Amino acid sequence: MKELLELLSLFGPALLALAALSLAAPVIGVFQHVRGAAFQGLVLPQLAAFGVALGYAVSPWLVDSSASELGAAHRGHTHAVGASDVYHLSWAGAAVLVGLAVTTALARRPGSESARLAALFAVASGGAVVCAQLSPFGGIHVTSLLSGEALAVGTGDAALVVIVALVTLAAATWAWRDVTSVLQDPDFARAIRLPVRRIDAALGLTSATLVVVGTLSIGPLPLFALLVLPPLGARGGAPSMASFLRRSALVGFLGALTGATLSFGADLPLGASVTLGSACVSLVAALLTSRKNVPHADRCFQQSEVPEQSLT
Amino acid sequence: MSPPDSKLVAFERACLGLGSVEVLRELEWSVAPGDLWVVYGPSGGGKTTLLRTALGLAAALRGAVVQRATRPAWVPQRELTPDLFPVRLDEFVLAGAARPRGWRRGPSASDRGRVEGLLAELELLADAGRPLRSLSGGQRQRALVARALAAEPDLLVLDEPTSALDAENAERVLRLAFCAAARGAGVVCATHQFERVSEVGRSVQSDAVVGLLPSSASGGAGPSAGPSQAPVRVRWLRVDSGRAQEAAP
């Protein structure tokens, strides 16, 4: 008990940020999944990491006076969101938004969206490593960010993550029907005069904000897992879209819990452990619900004997 | 003849195309409330392009397309690919009732009631709780029709809505299309089965088809709150060889 309290006092903000992200990221992952763009779950965090590395690489020319602060202050050792956090957030946000703009612009051209996303992932991965090498003092920070050393999260960072996660969950709860309509059949949504572009833009902006804030706090590695794996685990047994969203969030949270337990129990990096934990929980969820994947006609008719309930 | 400003959609010397390739030339055509246009012609003649442009999903290459419909809805021709979406049939049909309505979200009680009535009319109520992906092709096509009608459209556009249906269900769908027109909606239906439309048209013109569609608290399927007084005007548009002209088959 005493050890647990010590752990919480030392790593409480990191665990709080992880818990918030484990609930919100799978919800965004569901929307990416049903759009057929699950690969965005890998691309967006990697772009954010690239943005951070780029920020370090160009900092000597842009912020002479605070360059030493950027180099000296490891992210998260500060307790409030300071100038260096804003600097990194700006670079990560810019990289993600540019990436989203490029994929949106190219979406109208013929070709595979997953191939375009894969190309973007490759560029972001190479760019992150090169920029880390070019940075006079950012390499170690970028390397720790990429490898998922996520324990050094300050209270200010954790508060920011929790706020963004709560806003994401609230927006999803409020607008999931409209978002689903737009993702499922954009032409029909356009025909019935739903604001398709606004909904698309809002979803992109929410995803970008969550990914940027999440990448800067716990790194891209666990975000990869939390965006991609829970929807895969939860989809099979979900009878409806609302259920799919709820189950994904639950699988994400259990995956993060498993990963954190593994990390502290076996003294492993938190980010990588969360990835493995999410993979295990998602696999178990998929196996447990695989029987429901192809609904049996008899079961369906039994369910639908009470139409009033199904319509509520 | 309806006055020009009552047209739900009007094409004025419009040239339509796919990308920059011209498909239809110099189109003069309009849809008024209560009209039921049957669009027919060979495959690849430009029927779907015409319908998409009427809905505002595609722009005319030249000329003007004036759209005054405030609540359009359509039944697409293509097969849905619902495998990624764990959506129940009733949820899917309810999506048709989605409208921009300020901060309030989610379907109302009258939306749910209307959807239940539509599912019953299309013999789908027993399957309301089933995932869309578990339904047959014919059931999915009827679900598309139900979703469009759930929108209470003033302009209903159907692109081959009976292609996967047996005779009984095809007649059901066409009667609902006549019902929507009888309530004052403009209906445009592209089909290769125009004989069936003629048969249904002959049988329903003398029937009270208005009662087929379930009403919401605020009104019926069309722009007016109640049934229209005028009979449904069935008109034929032949689309072929880059031209579209009114002509009975």
Side-chain angles (χ1 to χ4, degrees):
Chain A
M1 190 65 187
K2 192 181 171 186
E3 282 182 8
L4 182 66
L5 287 174
E6 276 179 11
L7 277 178
L8 284 177
S9 67
L10 278 173
F11 306 118
L15 293 175
L16 185 63
L18 178 63
L21 285 167
S22 71
L23 290 168
V27 169
I28 294 295
V30 165
F31 291 130
Q32 291 170 343
H33 180 85
V34 296
R35 171 181 260 168
F39 207 48
Q40 271 197 351
L42 301 184
V43 175
L44 296 183
Q46 194 64 17
L47 280 169
F50 174 42
V52 173
L54 190 60
Y56 274 119
V58 300
S59 60
W61 293 280
L62 293 182
V63 280
D64 286 341
S65 58
S66 60
S68 57
E69 183 208 337
L70 287 174
H74 188 293
R75 282 199 35 71
H77 282 177
T78 54
H79 289 282
V81 179
S84 68
D85 297 85
V86 174
Y87 179 83
H88 293 305
L89 280 171
S90 305
W91 276 102
V96 169
L97 288 178
V98 167
L100 279 175
V102 167
T103 49
T104 305
L106 293 178
R108 293 178 185 178
R109 299 190 172 202
S112 156
E113 185 177 2
S114 54
R116 281 191 283 266
L117 289 172
L120 208 55
F121 180 78
V123 170
S125 301
V129 173
V130 168
C131 288
Q133 291 293 319
L134 290 176
S135 167
F137 37 68
I140 189 168
H141 306 305
V142 176
T143 306
S144 68
L145 187 75
L146 293 176
S147 65
E149 292 287 356
L151 296 176
V153 176
T155 50
D157 298 323
L160 184 63
V161 169
V162 169
I163 289 169
V164 171
L166 286 176
V167 169
T168 303
L169 289 171
T173 306
W174 177 63
W176 69 269
R177 284 181 192 277
D178 288 353
V179 176
T180 303
S181 292
V182 168
L183 296 181
Q184 187 172 44
D185 193 344
D187 277 348
F188 183 80
R190 228 173 265 130
I192 63 170
R193 305 295 190 249
L194 279 181
V196 173
R197 282 189 184 174
R198 257 190 289 163
I199 289 172
D200 252 341
L203 179 61
L205 195 64
T206 309
S207 309
T209 308
L210 186 78
V211 164
V212 166
V213 171
T215 302
L216 281 171
S217 61
I218 64 169
L221 198 54
L223 269 182
F224 294 159
L226 292 172
L227 285 165
V228 175
L229 295 173
L232 287 176
R235 188 177 67 114
S240 68
M241 194 64 187
S243 165
F244 187 17
L245 289 162
R246 282 195 298 268
R247 287 175 189 218
S248 288
L250 179 65
V251 170
F253 182 76
L254 292 177
L257 190 66
T258 307
T261 307
L262 178 69
S263 171
F264 288 109
D267 195 21
L268 294 169
L270 182 62
S273 303
V274 168
T275 305
L276 292 178
S278 295
C280 292
V281 173
S282 299
L283 184 65
V284 170
L287 289 174
L288 285 175
T289 57
S290 61
R291 284 187 170 190
K292 296 178 185 174
N293 200 12
V294 179
H296 192 276
D298 293 343
R299 196 183 303 150
C300 293
F301 280 115
Q302 282 166 10
Q303 277 178 357
S304 59
E305 279 174 2
V306 189
E308 289 82 3
Q309 285 180 349
S310 66
L311 286 166
T312 54
Chain B
M1 191 74 179
S2 308
D5 60 357
S6 73
K7 304 291 188 190
L8 294 161
V9 61
F11 291 75
E12 296 165 3
R13 297 178 65 83
C15 295
L16 315 183
L18 283 170
S20 58
V21 180
E22 196 174 86
V23 176
L24 288 173
R25 299 184 296 274
E26 300 291 314
L27 178 61
E28 292 278 351
W29 178 59
S30 61
V31 181
D35 280 352
L36 192 150
W37 281 94
V38 182
V39 180
Y40 68 101
S43 296
K47 296 191 294 294
T48 299
T49 303
L50 173 70
L51 302 189
R52 288 178 61 83
T53 312
L55 286 161
L57 299 176
L61 299 177
R62 287 187 302 280
V65 179
V66 181
Q67 280 153 341
R68 293 195 187 84
T70 55
R71 293 196 310 239
W74 86 316
V75 179
Q77 180 184 1
R78 64 179 168 70
E79 173 67 77
L80 284 169
T81 51
D83 291 345
L84 292 172
F85 284 83
V87 178
R88 281 194 327 238
L89 170 61
D90 56 349
E91 261 187 352
F92 176 77
V93 176
L94 267 172
R99 294 280 164 186
R101 47 192 150 194
W103 289 98
R104 194 174 70 80
R105 285 293 183 277
S108 63
S110 68
D111 290 337
R112 292 182 189 282
R114 190 167 69 255
V115 165
E116 201 172 329
L118 281 168
L119 292 176
E121 191 57 46
L122 286 163
E123 295 281 319
L124 288 170
L125 191 57
D127 304 310
R130 285 179 66 178
L132 197 63
R133 62 188 169 205
S134 72
L135 301 181
S136 70
Q139 286 172 316
R140 286 183 201 174
Q141 193 162 33
R142 279 181 282 153
L144 287 169
V145 173
R147 182 182 63 165
L149 289 169
E152 298 190 296
D154 57 355
L155 175 65
L156 175 63
V157 176
L158 306 104
D159 195 354
E160 302 195 21
T162 58
S163 58
L165 301 182
D166 56 40
E168 190 182 346
N169 280 312
E171 184 175 329
R172 224 172 239 135
V173 165
L174 292 173
R175 287 170 73 90
L176 286 175
F178 272 89
C179 169
R183 288 196 171 194
V187 178
V188 183
C189 178
T191 182
H192 292 288
Q193 302 172 330
F194 43 80
E195 297 92 347
R196 180 163 286 151
V197 180
S198 298
E199 286 168 21
V200 174
R202 277 193 295 275
S203 68
V204 300
Q205 288 290 4
S206 55
D207 290 346
V209 290
V210 172
L212 284 180
L213 277 179
S215 298
S216 70
S218 59
S224 57
S228 74
Q229 298 300 312
V232 176
R233 291 182 297 277
V234 182
R235 302 172 75 175
W236 303 85
L237 188 73
R238 178 173 172 76
V239 178
D240 190 10
S241 306
R243 294 281 176 187
Q245 55 188 354
E246 186 168 3

